[in-house]
């Protein structure tokens, strides 16, 4: 989604066509529509809006000025921060109808879905009362625990829930980071990747771990025997494939009846610049799209949910899909 930084919107006073055209021009930009959507029900600071939209402060501030000039928003100062809120309800009926029409047309934009997820994360941060003893104690404890123990023990605890006699396939394993995490927890780990260079790196990292096996091949034709794996995973792999459905169907083939599949990838987005930058073929996936592919491939009870983006992540929001191969 791009914006035209060279266009300006001149404030218009009074009523009549000039005012109408000025208001229409102020809405004729995707960034300003996203800002109005974020401010629809709550007051937000500039820093929060930058986090939600993943745009620099200069861009956000410029568009907020236009919205304020045209009467869509107001702001107030709180300490050193400027807080913005919508004032749509105070505008005349014509302005309200114009905005309502616009919002109906953009309701299903992928960018707005991404913004909603980031906004939810921002609002959850606010729920912590900095004056509360328990909030302060929890924050101090989390920081202390991180400094003392790091974060790896959390992953180790979760992986420890896996049955120790399982065979797990990491499909599109890359340089083998996930293989190293899985190795201490299960009986056998099979890493599959098409890149010789990636497998060389994985082989070097796992040379002292005898339960890791590496196989070169495409995930469209997985070099693993049918019904031999207890679990399989695609971690940021499907977006790079020409036909993700074929890979999912292959994953079903190599799983035992009742075997588990986990998919981590990107939620559907419209950031073509990002997709081209990292060489992905698909702009993420819609939940209903993945659910249909999983069901057609013979999986029962697919569960798909969006994941809250890391505040520092530059990529679109991720999703997690899990499913179980139907028992025969």
């Amino acid at each position: 989604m791009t914006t035209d930084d060279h266009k300006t919107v001149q404030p218009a006073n009074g009523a009549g066509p000039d005012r109408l055209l000025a208001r229409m021009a102020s809405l004729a930009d995707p960034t300003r529509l996203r800002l109005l959507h974020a401010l629809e029900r709550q007051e937000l600071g500039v820093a929060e809006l930058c986090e939600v939209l993943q745009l620099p402060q200069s861009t956000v501030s410029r568009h907020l000025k236009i919205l304020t000039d045209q009467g869509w928003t107001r702001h107030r100062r709180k300490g050193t921060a400027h807080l913005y809120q919508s004032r749509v309800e105070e505008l005349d009926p014509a302005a309200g109808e114009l905005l309502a029409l616009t919002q109906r047309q953009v309701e299903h934009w992928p960018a707005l879905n991404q913004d909603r997820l980031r906004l939810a994360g921002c609002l959850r941060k606010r729920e912590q009362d900095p004056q509360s003893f328990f909030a302060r104690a929890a924050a101090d404890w989390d920081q202390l625990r991180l400094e003392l123990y790091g974060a790896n023990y959390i992953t180790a605890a979760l992986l420890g829930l896996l049955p120790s006699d399982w065979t797990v396939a990491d499909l599109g394993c890359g340089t083998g980071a996930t293989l190293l995490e899985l190795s201490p927890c299960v009986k056998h780990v099979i890493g599959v990747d098409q890149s010789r260079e990636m497998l060389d790196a994985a082989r070097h990292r796992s040379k002292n771990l005898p339960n890791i096996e590496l196989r070169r091949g495409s995930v469209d034709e997985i070099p693993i025997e049918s019904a031999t794996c207890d679990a399989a995973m695609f971690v940021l792999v499907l977006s790079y494939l020409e036909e993700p459905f074929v890979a999912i169907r292959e994953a079903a083939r190599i799983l035992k009846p009742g075997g588990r599949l986990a998919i981590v990838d990107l939620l559907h987005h419209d950031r073509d610049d990002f997709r081209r930058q990292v060489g992905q073929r698909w702009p993420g996936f819609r939940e209903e799209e993945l659910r249909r592919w999983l069901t057609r491939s013979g999986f029962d009870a697919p569960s798909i949910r969006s994941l809250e983006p890391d505040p520092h992540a530059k990529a679109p929001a991720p999703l997690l899909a899990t499913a179980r191969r139907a028992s025969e």
Side-chain angles (χ1 to χ4, degrees), residues 168-170 173-184 189-192 202 206 209 212-214:
V168 180
D170 184 4
C173 65
T175 58
T178 304
L179 301 176
L180 301 184
E181 299 280 358
L182 288 167
S183 175
V189 186
I190 305 174
V192 176
S206 63
L209 298 172
I212 292 180
E213 179 185 357
L214 299 174

Side-chain angles (χ1 to χ4, degrees), residues 54-279:
Q54 291 193 297
L55 291 174
Q57 181 175 339
S58 58
T59 301
V60 170
S61 296
R62 183 174 69 254
H63 287 292
L64 284 170
K65 183 179 186 305
I66 293 172
L67 291 172
T68 302
D69 287 344
Q70 295 302 321
W72 299 110
T73 59
R74 68 157 66 91
H75 66 87
R76 65 183 178 93
R77 180 182 287 275
K78 183 179 181 181
T80 59
H82 283 279
L83 302 179
Y84 284 80
Q85 63 181 152
S86 170
R87 59 182 299 265
V88 172
E89 294 181 357
E90 304 171 15
L91 298 178
D92 57 84
E97 292 175 9
L98 176 61
L99 181 61
L101 172 63
T102 306
Q103 289 176 328
R104 286 196 297 271
Q105 297 301 312
V106 303
E107 181 181 359
H108 300 293
W109 275 4
L112 290 186
N113 197 21
Q114 299 279 333
D115 292 348
R116 291 185 192 103
L117 292 169
R118 294 189 182 277
L119 177 58
C122 282
L123 296 179
R124 273 193 291 273
K125 292 178 186 177
R126 288 186 175 186
E127 294 176 0
Q128 298 178 353
D129 178 7
Q131 301 305 316
S132 163
F133 168 80
F134 293 105
R136 291 199 307 273
D140 291 343
W141 169 241
D142 287 345
Q143 182 61 33
L144 178 62
R145 189 168 61 172
L146 183 64
E147 292 174 358
L148 291 176
Y149 305 110
N152 290 339
Y153 71 93
I154 298 176
T155 302
L158 296 175
L159 289 172
L161 298 174
L162 293 174
S164 60
D165 59 348
W166 269 18
T167 293
V168 180
D170 184 4
L171 306 174
C173 65
T175 58
T178 304
L179 301 176
L180 301 184
E181 299 280 358
L182 288 167
S183 175
C185 304
V186 297
K187 180 180 179 180
H188 188 198
V189 186
I190 305 174
V192 176
D193 205 282
Q194 194 166 355
S195 167
R196 188 184 303 276
E197 292 76 14
M198 291 282 190
L199 286 178
D200 286 344
R203 188 170 290 108
H204 177 74
R205 299 174 73 175
S206 63
K207 59 185 177 182
N208 296 321
L209 298 172
N211 69 332
I212 292 180
E213 179 185 357
L214 299 174
R215 301 184 185 183
R216 188 180 180 205
S218 168
V219 294
D220 293 338
E221 296 181 14
I222 300 173
I224 299 177
E225 296 77 10
S226 298
T228 55
C229 295
D230 298 285
M233 62 180 64
F234 293 107
V235 179
L236 299 177
V237 172
L238 296 184
S239 295
Y240 290 91
L241 304 181
E242 186 73 34
E243 296 182 280
F245 168 66
V246 174
I248 292 174
R249 189 174 58 195
E250 270 289 278
R253 178 187 63 79
I254 69 169
L255 287 172
K256 301 174 183 176
R260 306 289 301 187
L261 176 67
I263 298 170
V264 175
D265 219 291
L266 297 181
L267 192 65
H268 181 70
H269 61 88
D270 57 0
R271 289 177 54 184
D272 286 342
D273 55 338
F274 175 84
R275 183 180 58 81
R276 289 193 296 268
Q277 178 187 353
V278 298

